[in-house]
Structure formats: structure tokens, C-alpha cells
Amino acid sequence: MDKKQGNDIALKIAAIYLIIGALWILMSDKVLNFLVQDRSTVTLLSMVKGWIYVLISGVLIYVLISHSLRRVAKAENELLISNGILTEANRKLEDSYHQLAVSQAELEKQYQQALIDQKHIRENEERYRLISEATNDAIWKEIDGKRDFSERWFQITGHTKADLEQMDSWEELIHPEDIEDARELVHCHINSRTPFYQCEYRLKKQDGQYMWIRARGKASFNDDGKILQMAGSHTDITALKEYEHKLHYFAYNDQLTGLKNRLSLFEILNSRLNLNSKQNSALLYIDMDNFKYINDTMGHRFGDMLILKISERINSLKIDHSTLFRIGGDEFVILIEKFNTRDEIEKAAIKVLRLFKSNFDVEGIMIYAAVSIGVSIFPEHGIDTNSLLKSADIAVHKAKEAGKNRIVFYNEPMHKAINDRMEIEKQLRKAIENNEFILFYQPQIEVATGRVSGFEALLRWQSPEMGFVLPDRFIEIAEETHLIIPIGELVLRDACLFLNSLDEMGFKDLSISVNISMIQLLQDDFVDMVFENIDAAQLSPKQLELEITESILMESYEVIAGKLKLLRNRGVKIALDDFGKGYSSLNYLRELPITTLKIDKSFIDTIMGKTRDKSFTDLIIRIGRSMDLCVIAEGVETQEQMDYLVKHKCNKIQGYLYSRPIPEEEALKLISKSVIKMVKEN
Ligand code: C2E
Ligand code: CA
Ligand code: CA
């Protein structure tokens, strides 16, 4: 009920009350006067009637007011309830509003982020486009298994987009041998095992040829770790691979024959011996006999061609589980893996030897070549690469010593020889410090006059541990360890001083011959060192003769020839020692400033043998003399040899027939006697 309705009802009640009241007042008195005539009764009744009116009005007012109040209370109550509901609704409304505000902010944020992302995507796309265009690499990206390549990719592979569409997958282009690795590496990266993906594989180009590709890539993931996309590059590394391949080839192969080389042998052996230490392996160390001679007489080019023919011939031999290596100039190794008996190895070695029965045709020249073979077996003869190769090397040396063109298996006594060598090396170092070396002198006699013209100084070692040691046992070791450099200088010094003491005693015009090793000759200061010692002993350079061997000459011809000329120019004599023992090249005699030819003992020994050999010694003497060289015969032991040499006009002799190498004091006595004898004879 609104306010106006309330007022209306109140007015109506008041009007009714006024009307009823007015009627009551007007009518009731008239009715009373009509019904009752008695005045006092009328007055009484009027008073009663007044009180009744007041009573009824009071009751009426009470009923009305109480009714109204109840309604007001009820309305108030309802109002309170409604108000509660309203408050609750209002709170809910406020909550909703709040939530709405939060969502809106979030939405706003997301919208902003989306804007940034979009910008980034645009930038990335731009960058991707720029990179694709600028880089030499091909760029790719893969989303949902679909791969897109940049223009550059099509350029380098020669494929077209249409080509790719016809394929089930671009991966068909990867070389079948590489595909597994390529996939595996992608897998590793996707499973976060690698920070990025990288792989090298061959990819088929449009022309059917394979190119080498270096593929790199990186995947991006969503928050759940699911892959979104992957992108990367393809670099053409074909040239790099070829270069790498070539480098590897040069490092591990011999350029002349194309065979695997020493480095390769070491790597293969190292890996095999470690991995399969239970498996038998054998090395056939094949060393050509007399190759230096061939090289020297026929020239290096010819030598190379022969090596090539030999390598081809050995390679044509099919030995099971074997690999052929060229590990040095004229040295080959066959590695045989897996075999049952030593017999099998021996048979294989015999097959190799037999290959050399027929001559080799090198540019129309038929040449005979032979080899010596040393064999070592794993594990008996060495448990690592070095020792196994060393054993085979020792065995091949033994084969040479035994007369070449044969097979020798390594054995323990050879090992003992190695130990001896090691002991000698150890003792040699001490020997220099402790002055354990002395010189013996062997006289050289002029055949025509019988006069002692000089001595050859020969080194002796008086070792407290090993006793009296002959040079044959230690010179080679001293050379290998370069100890020959200080030792050789000692020899030269003492020999010169010895000659000086003879000189001072009045034995004039004698000469001293000193043996020189290649290692010494190769020293930069060698020539200076020689002159220093000559000067220190106040000798004339022509009193000194340096004995060198052919093996020395063969190796560093140029360097050595230069030094010999310097020495010769100032008067020092040069003797070619052991002539005929090795592979004498007459070229040396012609080209080098040689003054003396020493015919090796092995030739002198043949003087008692067949006529053919004898005449050969004679030939050497004639050649030497024809070249104005002084010819000395070494190791003359018999009168028969002496007679032969006198007859063929050999200049000098040296040998046990006249004297063994003797210590200084004895040499002094000998020269005194010889001079006295000469004086008497004259
Ligand atoms: P070589 O220079 O050929 O010396 C000659 C060798 O033959 C000497 O052996 C000598 O004792 C020996 N000999 C001499 N006459 C006869 C003979 O009638 N019959 C026999 N059976 N042998 C004879 P040695 O002294 O043992 O020297 C051996 C080799 O050691 C020398 O051969 C030489 O190459 C080397 N050598 C010796 N001393 C030195 C040195 O001071 N320096 C260098 N680098 N090598 C040296
Ligand atoms: Ca000599
Ligand atoms: Ca000699």
C-alpha cells in the first residue's frame, strides 16, 4: 500500500466516523426524545448514550490502531527479511563484479601478450626470411611432420618443390646407411637428451649423386613438453668431407703404393691387440734385400717403380684375414689375424718368398728382387704393438744376417740379444764419464817399400762390468743412441795426439786413419771439430785420414758430399772403407773427393778361393789405381794374399799378417823396429 492509498483510507475512516458521529448525535437524541418523555431519564440515557459512543469509538480506535500497528510490524519484518536478501544479493553481485574485473585485467594482459607475440612472430619471420636469403646454408622448419625448405635448399640439392611433393617423405633422400643415425639423433634431441640436433649425412641430389650435409636443428616445445616445431639448417660440407677424407688418406696411406702405412699399422694393431687379446695375430715383416743398391745404381724413380710392382705382387696374394702395409722405403708388413697353427703362418711367408722367383719388369728392364721375412706372433713374441713389431724387426735382421732371402721366426735368444743391447747402452753412458775407452792402432804397410806408413785407430772399451768389449758389439748401439758423437770426438782427439807424440819422437810422415760414423758427419760442427783437433795436435791436415763407409754415403749424400769437400780442400784425406762389402757404386768414387779405397776383408778372403773372385779383387785394385786412389787391402792374413796383392800392385795392406791392432806402447815399439829395419835395409 502506498502513501496516497493510506491517506485515502484514513480520510474515509475519519469521514465515516464523523458522519456516524454526527448522525448519532442528531438522530439518537430525537429517537430518545421520541421514545422517552421523561427528562431525567432522557438526560441519563443521553449520558449513557454518550459513554457508549465514547466506548465504541475507543474500541474502534483501539482495533484500528492495533491492526495498523500489527501491519506495520509485519511490514517492518518483511522489510528486514527483504533487506537481508537484498544485502546477500548485493554481496554476490559485488563478488561477481570483482571477478569480472579480474578476468578483464587478465584478458587485457593476454591481449597485450598476444600483441607482443605477434610482433615477435613477424620479426622472426622476417629474420628467418633474411637468414634464408643471406646464408649459404639451406634453412628448414618442420611443423606436424611437414618440412619446409628454403630456396637455398632447392638450389644446392637441385630438387624442386614438385619433386618433394611426389615423395612420401623428404627423408627418402638420405643415404640408406646414414638414415638410422640421422633419425636417432633427432630422437635424442626431441627427448631432450641433447641441447640441439646435429648430424652429418649423405643426401641424394637431383642428379642422383650424393652430397654431404651437416644438419643442425632445434625443437621448440609447449608448456606440456609437446613439440611445437623444429627448425634448422643444412650446410653443404661435401668439399670439407673430401678434404677430410684426403687428409685421412694421406695420414694413413702410403702415397706411392696406396697401401696402408706405418701409422695405420700402429692404430690397427693397438686396437686389435687390446680388444681381442685372446686372438692370435702374426706379423710378417718383409724387408727387400739389396734395395739400397738398386736405388743407388738405377736411381730413385726406378726404385719407386720397383716398389710399386712389388707391392702389387704381394697384394695379389690372397692370405685369409690379412692386411698389407708399407711401413718404410722397402719394408712391408703383412698382419695376419685369426689363424690356428704356426704352420699356416709359415706357409703364408713361403708364398710371399715365392712371389720373388720371377723377375720384375720395370720399364722394360727385367730386375731380380728378393726379400727377407721376419715373423713375430702375438702374444708369444710381444703383447703390444711396439714389442711385436720390434720382434719381427729383430727376426728380419737375423734373416739378413743369415744370408737374406729367407724367413726367420723370432725367438727367445734374439730377445736375449735385445737385453744385451740395453745393458750395453746403459754401460756406454757410464763409460764416457769414467774414461773407459782406449785406442788400439793397426799399422798400414806400403806394399812397394814395406814401410809402415801409418795406423788405423780402432776403438776398444775396457768395461769394469763387461770386460774388454770389441767395437762390433757397441758401435752400432753408440750410433743409435748418438753417444758416438762424444765418443767419436774422443777417438779423433786421442788419435791425433798419438800421432803428434810420434811426430815429436821423430817418426815423421806418418798418417793416422780414424773411423767416422754417419751420425758424426751429420753434425753441423763436424768440420770445425775436425780442424780444432788437428790444430790442437799441431798436425798437418794431410796426416789425417777419415774412414767413411758406403752406407754413410747412401743416406745423406748432398750434406755429406759438401762436408767432405770442405775437409778435402784443406788436405784431409778421405778413405772409402769396406769397399765391396756393401753395394759399391763407382759413382761415389767419381763424384766424391775420395783419396783412398779400402778393399773389404771379404774380398781379400776370396783370394784363396776361385779364380773368378780373385780376378774381381784385381779389378777393384785396377779401378782404384786408374782413378788415382790409394788402394788398401784390409784383413790380410796370409802370405798368399800378400803375394797376390803385391803382384797386382795394391798400394797398402793392413792385417794380422803384419800386425793385429795393438795398444799405444806396442805401436811405438813396432814403429821403432820398422824404422830401424828400414834403415838397416837401406
Ligand atoms: P773396420 O774399420 O773395417 O776395421 C777393421 C776391423 O778389422 C777391425 O776390427 C780390425 O781389428 C779387424 N782386422 C784387421 N785386420 C784383420 C785381419 O787380418 N783379420 C781379421 N779377422 N780382422 C782384422 P775392430 O777393431 O773390431 O773394428 C770393427 C769395426 O768397428 C771397424 O771396422 C769399424 O767399422 C768400427 N770401429 C772401430 N773403431 C771405431 C771408431 O773409433 N769409430 C767408429 N765409428 N767405428 C769404429
Ligand atoms: Ca776402418
Ligand atoms: Ca774396413
Side-chain angles (χ1 to χ4, degrees):
M1 191 195 303
D2 60 17
K3 207 175 155 189
K4 194 174 169 289
Q5 272 177 325
N7 278 344
D8 285 354
I9 291 171
L11 271 177
K12 271 181 196 161
I13 292 171
I16 291 167
Y17 180 71
L18 281 175
I19 293 165
I20 292 173
L23 283 175
W24 177 260
I25 292 167
L26 293 175
M27 297 304 289
S28 58
D29 283 346
K30 280 188 178 157
V31 170
L32 212 52
N33 286 331
F34 178 71
L35 293 173
V36 182
Q37 275 88 22
D38 177 25
R39 224 43 244 141
S40 63
T41 311
V42 170
T43 311
L44 183 73
L45 282 175
S46 281
M47 198 183 64
V48 172
K49 178 187 67 118
W51 282 109
I52 289 169
Y53 185 83
V54 168
L55 194 72
I56 290 169
S57 330
V59 170
L60 262 175
I61 287 168
Y62 167 76
V63 170
L64 272 173
I65 288 176
S66 108
H67 180 73
S68 295
L69 280 178
R70 263 204 317 277
R71 283 189 64 178
V72 167
K74 195 180 160 206
E76 232 172 25
N77 203 18
E78 276 173 2
L79 207 68
L80 269 178
I81 291 167
S82 310
N83 197 32
I85 291 168
L86 212 65
T87 313
E88 177 64 20
N90 202 24
R91 202 183 51 75
K92 277 187 184 162
L93 208 68
E94 241 166 53
D95 276 359
S96 315
Y97 174 75
H98 194 69
Q99 272 173 13
L100 215 65
V102 170
S103 313
Q104 197 179 0
E106 184 63 26
L107 218 63
E108 186 90 354
K109 214 168 110 193
Q110 282 177 7
Y111 175 71
Q112 288 303 332
Q113 187 58 43
L115 281 181
I116 292 168
D117 286 352
Q118 202 177 17
K119 190 168 158 250
H120 279 169
I121 289 169
R122 237 181 285 121
E123 277 172 8
N124 278 344
E125 269 173 2
E126 180 64 8
R127 212 175 289 153
Y128 169 77
R129 191 185 58 78
L130 279 175
I131 290 170
S132 316
E133 281 170 19
T135 178
N136 211 21
D137 298 347
I139 307 290
W140 55 264
K141 60 181 173 188
E142 190 170 309
I143 303 171
D144 293 335
K146 191 184 172 311
R147 188 175 278 229
D148 287 325
F149 292 101
S150 67
E151 275 309 310
R152 179 81 186 121
W153 190 87
F154 294 98
Q155 271 170 20
I156 64 174
T157 61
H159 293 292
T160 60
K161 284 190 176 137
D163 290 344
L164 271 191
E165 272 156 23
Q166 276 171 7
M167 294 173 203
D168 289 338
S169 158
W170 74 276
E171 284 187 342
E172 286 170 26
L173 297 172
I174 300 180
H175 195 286
E177 285 170 16
D178 303 338
I179 183 99
E180 226 168 273
D181 276 356
R183 282 185 181 150
E184 171 62 22
L185 286 166
V186 171
H187 212 71
C188 278
H189 173 58
I190 291 177
N191 292 321
S192 304
R193 270 179 277 151
T194 49
F196 57 86
Y197 155 71
Q198 178 161 319
C199 181
E200 287 173 5
Y201 49 74
R202 284 159 288 178
L203 194 87
K204 199 188 230 164
K205 291 193 291 183
Q206 211 271 332
D207 61 8
Q209 304 261 43
Y210 278 98
M211 70 190 295
W212 273 99
I213 289 285
R214 177 180 294 138
R216 278 170 151 272
K218 201 164 168 65
S220 62
F221 303 91
N222 66 10
D223 293 343
D224 304 335
K226 264 187 75 183
I227 183 162
L228 288 174
Q229 67 163 337
M230 201 169 160
S233 61
H234 274 180
T235 315
D236 178 1
I237 54 161
T238 313
L240 200 74
K241 277 277 167 188
E242 271 167 21
Y243 179 66
E244 240 177 49
H245 187 76
K246 263 190 204 144
L247 270 190
H248 187 272
Y249 183 84
F250 285 133
Y252 289 94
N253 291 77
D254 164 48
Q255 287 178 48
L256 175 67
T257 60
L259 293 175
K260 291 192 165 67
N261 64 11
R262 177 179 275 270
L263 184 66
S264 187
L265 173 68
F266 267 77
E267 289 212 345
I268 291 176
L269 265 188
N270 280 343
S271 68
R272 299 290 202 283
L273 299 188
N274 293 340
L275 280 177
N276 292 322
S277 38
K278 289 212 169 59
Q279 185 185 295
N280 281 332
S281 297
L283 293 187
L284 307 190
Y285 199 123
I286 304 166
D287 195 324
M288 269 188 75
D289 296 336
N290 313 341
F291 181 66
K292 274 186 179 148
Y293 175 61
I294 295 168
N295 231 350
D296 204 49
T297 47
M298 311 294 287
H300 283 271
R301 210 180 75 84
F302 186 92
D304 279 356
M305 282 191 287
L306 177 62
I307 287 287
L308 195 60
K309 296 260 166 176
I310 288 173
S311 77
E312 282 164 5
R313 208 178 270 188
I314 304 179
N315 221 1
S316 70
L317 200 66
K318 296 288 170 241
I319 303 171
D320 287 346
H321 310 294
S322 76
T323 320
L324 176 64
F325 302 82
R326 181 184 180 213
I327 61 163
D330 59 344
E331 293 160 27
F332 297 88
V333 162
I334 300 179
L335 163 67
I336 304 178
E337 297 169 273
K338 279 194 207 163
F339 60 91
N340 297 317
T341 60
R342 184 189 157 113
D343 222 39
E344 287 172 33
I345 298 301
E346 192 160 359
K347 278 188 186 138
I350 291 171
K351 274 192 199 164
V352 177
L353 266 197
R354 285 205 187 122
L355 288 176
F356 292 82
K357 284 211 154 153
S358 55
N359 287 351
F360 290 85
D361 179 352
V362 180
E363 289 194 322
I365 300 171
M366 297 307 284
I367 187 144
Y368 169 76
V371 290
S372 297
I373 303 176
V375 184
S376 66
I377 291 172
F378 172 85
E380 293 108 282
H381 304 151
I383 51 161
D384 57 58
T385 307
N386 274 321
S387 54
L388 201 62
L389 200 64
K390 183 88 195 157
S391 299
D393 189 19
I394 292 168
V396 86
H397 273 98
K398 288 282 160 190
K400 300 248 171 194
E401 269 176 35
K404 303 178 177 170
N405 194 17
R406 66 196 62 219
I407 302 157
V408 169
F409 275 72
Y410 175 82
N411 62 34
E412 274 309 305
M414 293 179 195
H415 189 69
K416 191 185 162 296
I418 296 264
N419 281 346
D420 286 355
R421 276 177 83 96
M422 278 162 67
E423 179 61 21
I424 288 175
E425 185 183 330
K426 201 171 101 192
Q427 297 298 338
L428 263 183
R429 293 181 192 273
K430 279 203 274 172
I432 302 173
E433 283 169 31
N434 300 346
N435 247 331
E436 294 169 15
F437 297 107
I438 46 165
L439 288 182
F440 273 34
Y441 297 95
Q442 187 175 36
Q444 294 176 334
I445 324 299
E446 259 174 19
V447 173
T449 61
R451 184 184 86 95
V452 174
S453 65
F455 295 91
E456 176 178 4
L458 291 158
L459 187 59
R460 299 291 178 262
W461 176 16
Q462 216 127 27
S463 161
E465 279 88 2
M466 300 189 298
F468 192 74
V469 195
L470 283 170
D472 281 343
R473 268 184 79 195
F474 68 84
I475 292 289
E476 207 184 303
I477 301 168
E479 285 174 346
E480 279 171 17
T481 53
H482 284 204
L483 289 170
I484 196 70
I485 298 166
I487 295 174
E489 189 169 352
L490 283 179
V491 173
L492 189 73
R493 187 195 66 191
D494 288 358
C496 288
L497 290 176
F498 171 64
L499 197 68
N500 168 266
S501 64
L502 289 180
D503 223 47
E504 286 185 346
M505 278 181 233
F507 304 111
K508 304 282 176 192
D509 298 329
L510 293 173
S511 65
I512 188 84
S513 300
V514 176
N515 293 287
I516 299 296
S517 288
M518 171 176 73
I519 307 292
Q520 287 176 271
L521 252 171
L522 289 174
Q523 298 309 302
D524 288 341
D525 62 350
F526 179 75
V527 175
D528 294 339
M529 188 274 286
V530 171
F531 287 120
E532 272 164 29
N533 280 290
I534 291 174
D535 294 345
Q538 298 173 312
L539 298 183
S540 153
K542 68 174 194 309
Q543 286 179 282
L544 177 67
E545 182 166 74
L546 300 181
E547 295 196 3
I548 54 173
T549 57
E550 283 174 293
S551 64
I552 291 180
L553 295 173
M554 286 183 178
E555 308 214 10
S556 301
Y557 186 86
E558 302 291 322
V559 184
I560 283 160
K563 292 190 179 179
L564 293 183
K565 276 173 193 152
L566 283 177
L567 290 160
R568 185 67 204 114
N569 287 345
R570 288 184 56 187
V572 176
K573 291 183 193 146
I574 313 290
L576 190 56
D577 204 356
D578 302 340
F579 188 80
K581 187 177 169 186
Y583 306 99
S584 323
S585 166
L586 293 175
N587 282 342
Y588 291 141
L589 294 184
R590 239 175 271 127
E591 289 167 15
L592 293 171
I594 306 276
T595 47
T596 309
L597 197 67
K598 291 191 87 171
I599 307 174
D600 191 64
K601 182 175 181 301
S602 55
F603 275 95
I604 308 305
D605 287 345
T606 60
I607 288 176
M608 292 166 292
K610 296 179 213 151
T611 356
R612 197 166 59 89
D613 290 332
K614 270 190 206 170
S615 67
F616 196 48
T617 308
D618 161 43
L619 184 68
I620 296 175
I621 299 172
R622 269 195 284 146
I623 291 170
R625 294 201 60 137
S626 75
M627 295 173 89
D628 265 345
L629 301 175
C630 172
V631 182
I632 305 185
E634 267 196 300
V636 180
E637 291 177 341
T638 67
Q639 193 55 47
E640 193 190 350
Q641 290 168 336
M642 185 66 183
D643 294 342
Y644 177 93
L645 295 164
V646 171
K647 186 178 153 206
H648 290 100
K649 300 204 169 53
C650 183
N651 297 87
K652 292 182 188 176
I653 65 117
Q654 193 184 331
Y656 292 176
L657 180 67
Y658 192 84
S659 169
R660 286 178 175 254
I662 45 180
E664 207 174 301
E665 319 80 65
E666 281 185 46
L668 202 63
K669 279 185 211 152
L670 184 135
I671 190 82
S672 311
K673 259 200 257 167
S674 143
V675 171
I676 292 165
K677 195 171 154 230
M678 295 284 292
V679 171
K680 275 187 189 162
E681 279 172 9
N682 291 335

